Amino acid sequence: MSSVALPPLRADLEYCVVVRGNDSLRGRARWLVFCALAAVSLGLALAFAAAGAWPVLPYSILEIAVFGLAFHWCERRAGDWERLTVAGDSVLVEQAAGSRRERREFNRYWLRVEVERAGFGRSPRVILRGGGTTWEFGKRLPVGKLLAVARELRQLTGMR
């Protein structure tokens, strides 16, 4: 799979944050790992089947199918990204998830940056509100970095 290119940035850029998931295994390497795991699992299952424990074989095939679905899901999400850009009088937020692309533009000085505190089993969330639109930013960011982005954004926008 080739890397998905981000749209170009504005010339009057002041602040930009790009969020991507950790894609430690690129497309071809990911499928090589899958094939190696599938070969080991199927090889062991065939050895047990040859020894008379044939019920192991269907479970091994089920295991390989579940691994295949998990690897396919990782492949589809490998190119997902989010970008927040402060340039001029606007704050532009863009997101790509699978084949879906979304983009919102907020007035820089009317933007409210809200941090919803963490609840039981839930991380804090950064919500951007302005012009009747809301947007959650940074779902994939670690908590410390997410809160740092919220502080920076509050300093750069009208919300002090």
Side-chain angles (χ1 to χ4, degrees):
M1 180 182 128
S2 64
S3 180
V4 177
L6 297 171
L9 293 170
R10 289 179 44 172
D12 56 346
L13 175 70
E14 292 179 42
Y15 181 76
C16 182
V17 177
V18 177
V19 181
R20 287 181 171 250
N22 183 5
D23 187 19
S24 58
L25 285 175
R26 296 284 175 193
R28 184 175 201 132
R30 184 180 299 115
W31 290 110
L32 287 173
V33 168
F34 169 74
C35 288
L37 289 172
V40 168
S41 177
L42 194 57
L44 287 172
L46 289 173
F48 276 101
W54 61 267
V56 172
L57 195 56
Y59 289 104
S60 178
I61 292 170
L62 179 63
E63 174 189 35
I64 292 169
V66 170
F67 266 133
L69 289 173
F71 274 63
H72 176 68
W73 184 84
C74 288
E75 183 79 21
R76 289 190 61 209
R77 296 294 175 216
D80 293 359
W81 54 268
E82 269 185 293
R83 181 168 68 186
L84 183 139
T85 308
V86 177
D89 288 343
S90 65
V91 175
L92 181 64
V93 188
E94 301 164 285
Q95 180 183 57
S99 61
R100 192 183 81 237
R101 305 270 191 268
E102 289 187 69
R103 175 185 173 155
R104 296 282 187 284
E105 190 166 345
F106 296 95
N107 182 308
R108 177 179 179 169
Y109 302 104
W110 293 353
L111 180 67
R112 285 190 353 221
V113 181
E114 300 175 359
V115 178
E116 288 185 2
R117 296 288 172 210
F120 181 73
R122 187 175 58 86
S123 297
R125 299 176 358 162
V126 172
I127 307 293
L128 308 175
R129 296 186 194 278
T133 305
T134 61
W135 185 286
E136 181 180 355
F137 179 78
K139 294 176 191 172
R140 292 182 171 200
L141 277 175
V143 174
K145 290 186 180 185
L146 180 65
L147 296 176
V149 167
R151 275 192 305 274
E152 283 282 325
L153 197 54
R154 280 182 171 168
Q155 290 175 354
L156 291 167
T157 61
M159 186 169 184
R160 303 284 180 230

